[in-house]
Amino acid sequence: MIRVLLVHDVCLVRSVLAEWLRREPDLMVFDAPWRSASGSARSVRPHVCAADLERADAFGVPPLGDLCGRGGAAEPRLLVLATASRPGLLRRAFEAGAVGYVNKEGSPERLVTGIRQVADGERFVDASLGFGFLRAAQMPLTGRELSVLSLAADGASVAEIAGSLHLSHGTVRNYMAAITRKTGARNRVDAIRISQGEGWL
């Protein structure tokens, strides 16, 4: 039996998808919104965490590292629900250790296939996400720069970004200067607009 934790912030979508997955005889499915996902992962101890890459309460990437392990056999493996139009999220999911990528615009059967493959220790990548991965490889921003910019897009000040990412204020300002230069923006607001338009955030 494969224990699955389904993480999605939209209650109706999460509930319907969880019920659909529970019809599979080899899946034991639990579900949670992002705000309680970390605690659910600790209590459920799933084999696979299937998580939507978008959160209802934040624009940036959700805390994927709270859900997946980094190599231990007993640690959950991360499968993400994504779209090719958000290459920044694909890249950060990869950096967080995700081993499965399902296009959430595809059929639920692809999710079941992905869950089973990931539970068997294999990788799973929906072919329809290939273009998103190509765009992610061409992104000029590093993972840390994307984290800084995501918090800035949420309206965080330099001090709040520094506190959240455990950086000095000067380091945050240096990151923002690099982001502005790499995106060809005039300022922080323009960098956010450009990055959102490109799907990096």
Side-chain angles (χ1 to χ4, degrees):
M1 188 67 89
I2 302 170
R3 283 192 312 278
V4 178
L5 175 61
L6 176 66
V7 181
H8 201 296
D9 269 352
V10 180
C11 183
L12 179 62
V13 173
R14 183 180 69 244
S15 300
V16 170
L17 193 52
E19 282 305 313
W20 194 89
L21 291 171
R22 287 183 183 116
R23 296 185 313 175
E24 299 296 320
D26 59 334
L27 302 183
M28 180 183 296
V29 181
F30 305 86
D31 62 278
W34 269 109
R35 70 179 172 279
S36 61
S38 181
S40 295
R42 284 191 301 275
S43 64
V44 169
R45 300 180 54 82
H47 298 108
V48 176
C49 286
D52 183 31
L53 278 181
E54 297 183 45
R55 292 178 66 174
D57 62 347
F59 194 77
V61 73
L64 297 170
D66 293 351
L67 297 182
C68 66
R70 284 293 190 163
E75 295 176 336
R77 296 173 59 80
L78 179 62
L79 177 143
V80 296
L81 307 175
T83 64
S85 64
R86 301 286 304 276
L89 292 179
L90 285 172
R91 179 172 169 176
R92 285 186 277 175
F94 178 78
E95 291 170 352
V99 293
Y101 303 84
V102 174
N103 189 340
K104 62 184 180 179
E105 295 173 358
S107 72
E109 288 83 7
R110 298 295 292 161
L111 177 57
V112 173
T113 301
I115 288 170
R116 288 182 178 135
Q117 241 176 273
V118 166
D120 283 341
E122 300 173 28
R123 291 188 176 274
F124 179 85
V125 180
D126 245 333
S128 58
L129 294 176
F131 184 68
F133 277 106
L134 287 173
R135 287 183 60 210
Q138 296 173 343
M139 286 175 41
L141 304 178
T142 66
R144 180 58 96 177
E145 289 166 345
L146 286 169
S147 296
V148 168
L149 194 58
S150 291
L151 290 170
D154 282 339
S157 67
V158 168
E160 291 168 331
I161 295 169
S164 181
L165 298 177
H166 310 290
L167 301 171
S168 72
H169 294 195
T171 301
V172 171
R173 283 191 285 277
N174 288 341
Y175 276 126
M176 287 307 302
I179 290 165
T180 302
R181 185 183 70 254
K182 288 180 176 182
T183 58
R186 295 183 308 271
N187 55 39
R188 172 180 170 161
V189 173
D190 196 31
I192 291 167
R193 181 190 58 76
I194 290 167
S195 298
Q196 288 173 341
E198 291 291 331
W200 300 339
L201 290 180

